[in-house]
Amino acid sequence: MKVGFVGAGKVGCSLYNYFVRNKIAVTCCYTRTKAAGKSAQIRYVTSLDAAVAESDVLFLTVPDDAISTAWEHVKSYPIQGKLICHCSGSLSATVFCGIEETGAYGYSVHPMFPFKSTETAYDDLAKAVFSIEGNEERIDAIMELLSMCPNRIVKLKSNDKTKYHAASVFASNLVVGLMNQATGLLKECGFSDKAALAALEPLAVANMKNIFDVGACEALTGPVERHDVETVKEHLRALDQEKKATYITVTREIIRLAEVRHPGRSYEDMKQVLEGVE
């Protein structure tokens, strides 16, 4: 099957190049502007008609809030039998309103990966999981297409898509927020931005590696795990209201982990400390 793209942003260009590297037949990338990118191997077209006509599978790689609009343009063409995909982590294939009447088949195909540029490194993207959700009638065809890539492929239910995307946000975007608060605290201690990040990097990277090596429960260290109530009290006294709220919320979660790891130890006094602050 031949694959085309609608949208020449970070996801569209990265997947275009990635598919080419994995011997998937790619036709073109539709963009409204001629100077869309610098990649020599991408064939850009400014005719949506050409992109639709040449492709058996069409990826709408536009921002989430533009998917419905892009779909309204695509559905006006003859697309019977074609597979229409978007790459949103939060939206399901139901965003393709009225697709049954067109004779096409709709899917969400989401690479669980943070795209920073239009030229994502092949080796990095090869480690990402691809989740697929949509019309069961042709879903095997999409899975077969993606099987040409080395990625793991997971089939999702439509009603699980929101929780799946929330999990992605917890593991990526919310971590960025936590690191920003940690950096802010070090800056209050006199660190520069650069020095703060340099100090936190070995701690954060080693901690993430431990999580993926042994799991979150066994990787847990720090004052909660060792039941150091006084240190937690000191932290709470030192933090402003915004950071204190974050600290309390996350500490409640790791108390649950600590209780699993140390079933004979009571953490009720630490829980009471958190309740008493609010």
Side-chain angles (χ1 to χ4, degrees):
M1 293 191 295
K2 296 178 181 179
V3 177
F5 290 86
V6 174
K10 292 180 287 187
V11 175
C13 291
S14 294
L15 287 181
Y16 188 118
N17 291 325
Y18 187 65
F19 284 0
V20 170
R21 284 281 302 273
N22 284 290
K23 311 302 181 186
I24 293 176
V26 181
T27 59
C28 60
C29 183
Y30 166 74
T31 174
R32 288 178 295 179
T33 57
K34 292 183 179 180
K38 299 178 181 178
S39 179
Q41 74 175 359
I42 294 181
R43 176 188 166 221
Y44 297 103
V45 298
T46 54
S47 166
L48 181 58
D49 180 53
V52 173
E54 295 177 21
S55 308
D56 305 304
V57 183
L58 206 59
F59 278 80
L60 309 189
T61 48
V62 296
D64 285 13
D65 58 2
I67 291 175
S68 293
T69 301
W71 163 239
E72 288 302 315
H73 290 297
V74 169
K75 70 188 290 189
S76 66
Y77 292 91
I79 55 173
Q80 185 173 3
K82 295 183 185 291
L83 310 183
I84 312 298
C85 310
H86 67 69
C87 295
S88 168
S90 60
L91 299 175
S92 72
T94 57
V95 72
F96 297 129
C97 184
I99 194 169
E100 296 82 5
E101 287 76 17
T102 69
Y105 304 87
Y107 301 93
S108 66
V109 178
H110 180 248
M112 191 180 276
F113 189 82
F115 291 89
K116 294 187 296 183
S117 74
T118 57
E119 298 181 358
T120 302
Y122 176 90
D123 290 339
D124 292 337
L125 190 49
K127 300 171 187 174
V129 167
F130 278 81
S131 69
I132 305 175
E133 169 272 329
N135 190 301
E136 285 291 330
E137 190 172 341
R138 297 291 306 280
I139 200 166
D140 288 344
I142 287 290
M143 296 184 73
E144 184 178 351
L145 177 74
L146 292 178
S147 70
M148 296 179 69
C149 304
N151 307 75
R152 286 180 294 152
I153 304 169
V154 177
K155 195 162 89 170
L156 291 178
K157 298 176 182 177
S158 295
N159 56 7
D160 286 337
K161 196 70 193 287
T162 302
K163 284 185 179 179
Y164 159 86
H165 188 246
S168 303
V169 169
F170 268 98
S172 57
N173 309 139
L174 296 189
V175 172
V176 172
L178 288 173
M179 288 301 296
N180 190 56
Q181 291 201 341
T183 302
L185 285 169
L186 288 186
K187 287 171 67 178
E188 291 175 17
C189 299
F191 286 70
S192 67
D193 280 313
K194 186 176 181 179
L197 288 172
L200 292 168
E201 181 179 4
L203 174 66
V205 171
N207 190 55
M208 291 301 290
K209 186 177 186 305
N210 288 341
I211 292 171
F212 293 114
D213 284 347
V214 299
C217 189
E218 290 301 314
L220 182 62
T221 60
V224 172
E225 189 275 331
R226 61 178 180 264
H227 195 238
D228 186 349
V229 178
E230 290 306 313
T231 295
V232 171
K233 287 181 180 179
E234 289 296 322
H235 289 170
L236 291 169
R237 280 193 283 268
L239 298 175
D240 62 32
Q241 285 303 117
E242 183 179 351
K243 292 183 177 66
K244 190 180 295 183
T246 303
Y247 188 97
I248 290 171
T249 299
V250 179
T251 298
R252 284 188 176 131
E253 180 64 27
I254 60 177
I255 284 175
R256 286 190 279 270
L257 287 174
E259 287 176 327
V260 172
R261 187 167 175 181
H262 303 290
R265 182 185 295 171
S266 173
Y267 285 86
E268 289 305 312
D269 50 352
M270 191 169 287
K271 293 178 185 177
Q272 288 172 11
V273 168
L274 301 181
E275 293 297 330
V277 173
E278 296 182 321

